[in-house]
């Protein structure tokens, strides 16, 4: 890594900016393409693959180390902050529990910003030179990114059958009891064994994964034009303030910075 990417401290103030791009959002897809603004410190249970088409994005890790990144791969459940954004960025969230996410885990990335930049070097020749506009373009770029990464990572170990079953059950179980004590009998494991196994195979605890599923459900209602309060109740949050807090802790911004600002792009029907 060249020293030009390293920044100890930023003398500038991190001024907020608009997220006025396109959000490609569907059952198996979460990609944002457009201007990237500063965020609060946050962590999400997905790998975040980032490519800037112009100036680099300045990222800060939990130890306050800052790095200018033209590309980066940020691992799940790791605190990070966007200090300074860029005008044209592609952000792809890769589920940690899926095949692509399990492959990315073999990179062994840690919690340091310089590690995210080094991992992102794999994206140097990914071929993305413009922002996607249509769903098909976003899917083509997703394939290009994942193909580039999968060519450089190892084969993941198989997922335990009980974890596979739990991952299938959870999206439809959000309206019920999603405590470990209720879920463990459904997959034939003790609470302690399931907790340990989920963390070992997915890379983080079950609770943030359930929170992510709730946020995804809330986003579905917001996409369809629901209010923050309606989305919060539909996803199992007590109120819009609870949703705001979870959204900011997980994504680093408030729902109001997205709703009514980004252009939602839905997958084609049929």
């Amino acid at each position: 890594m060249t020293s030009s990417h390293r920044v100890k401290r930023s003398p500038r103030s991190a001024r907020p900016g608009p997220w006025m791009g396109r959000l490609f959002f569907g059952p198996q897809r979460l990609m944002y393409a457009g201007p990237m603004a500063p965020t609060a410190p946050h962590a999400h249970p997905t790998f975040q693959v980032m490519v800037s088409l112009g100036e680099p994005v300045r990222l800060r890790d939990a130890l306050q180390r800052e790095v200018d990144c033209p590309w980066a791969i940020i691992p799940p459940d790791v605190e990070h902050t966007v200090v300074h954004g860029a005008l044209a960025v592609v952000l792809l969230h890769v589920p940690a529990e899926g095949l692509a996410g399990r492959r990315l885990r073999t990179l062994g990335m840690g919690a340091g910003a310089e590690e995210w930049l080094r991992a992102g070097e794999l994206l140097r020749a990914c071929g993305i030179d413009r922002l996607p506009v249509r769903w098909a373009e976003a899917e083509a770029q997703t394939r290009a990114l994942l193909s580039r990464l999968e060519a450089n990572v190892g084969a993941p170990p198989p997922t335990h059958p009980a974890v596979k079953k739990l991952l299938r059950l959870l999206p439809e179980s959000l309206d019920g009891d999603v405590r470990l004590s209720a879920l463990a009998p459904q997959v034939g494991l003790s609470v302690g064994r399931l907790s340990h196994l989920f963390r070992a195979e997915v890379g983080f605890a079950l609770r943030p994964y359930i929170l992510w599923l709730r946020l995804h459900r809330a986003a579905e209602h917001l996409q369809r034009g629901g209010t923050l309060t309606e989305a919060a109740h539909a996803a199992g949050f007590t109120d819009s303030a609870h949703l705001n807090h979870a959204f900011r802790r997980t994504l680093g911004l408030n729902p109001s910075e997205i709703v009514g600002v980004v252009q939602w792009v839905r997958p084609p029907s049929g």
Side-chain angles (χ1 to χ4, degrees), residues 35-179:
M36 185 179 188
T39 69
H42 62 286
H44 36 69
T46 57
F47 284 92
Q48 183 169 279
V49 176
M50 184 205 79
V51 176
S52 178
L53 306 188
E55 67 271 34
V57 173
R58 184 168 298 174
L59 298 175
R60 178 192 297 145
D61 61 29
L63 294 180
Q64 305 305 304
R65 297 169 296 197
E66 296 181 4
V67 178
D68 283 341
C69 300
W71 40 70
I73 303 174
I74 303 173
D77 202 33
V78 169
E79 181 183 300
H80 58 285
T81 305
V82 177
V83 181
H84 297 290
L87 291 176
V89 177
V90 173
L91 290 176
L92 175 66
H93 284 269
V94 179
E97 72 278 9
L99 178 60
R102 291 189 292 118
R103 285 182 180 272
L104 287 177
R105 284 192 66 194
T106 67
L107 291 173
M109 287 175 289
E114 291 192 358
E115 295 181 72
W116 312 337
L117 173 62
R118 282 196 296 269
E121 289 278 352
L122 297 172
L123 304 170
R124 182 190 291 270
C126 65
I128 293 178
D129 57 4
R130 62 190 178 91
L131 299 176
V133 175
R134 298 177 179 84
W135 185 269
E137 295 171 332
E139 288 297 280
Q141 290 195 3
T142 296
R143 290 192 296 271
L145 288 169
L146 295 181
S147 295
R148 183 69 186 170
L149 294 174
E150 289 174 357
N152 291 276
V153 299
T159 303
H160 191 283
V163 174
K164 280 186 177 180
K165 184 176 181 180
L166 179 63
L167 292 170
R168 291 194 302 267
L169 288 173
L170 280 173
E172 304 303 323
S173 303
L174 294 181
D175 294 327
D177 190 345
V178 289
R179 292 176 298 177

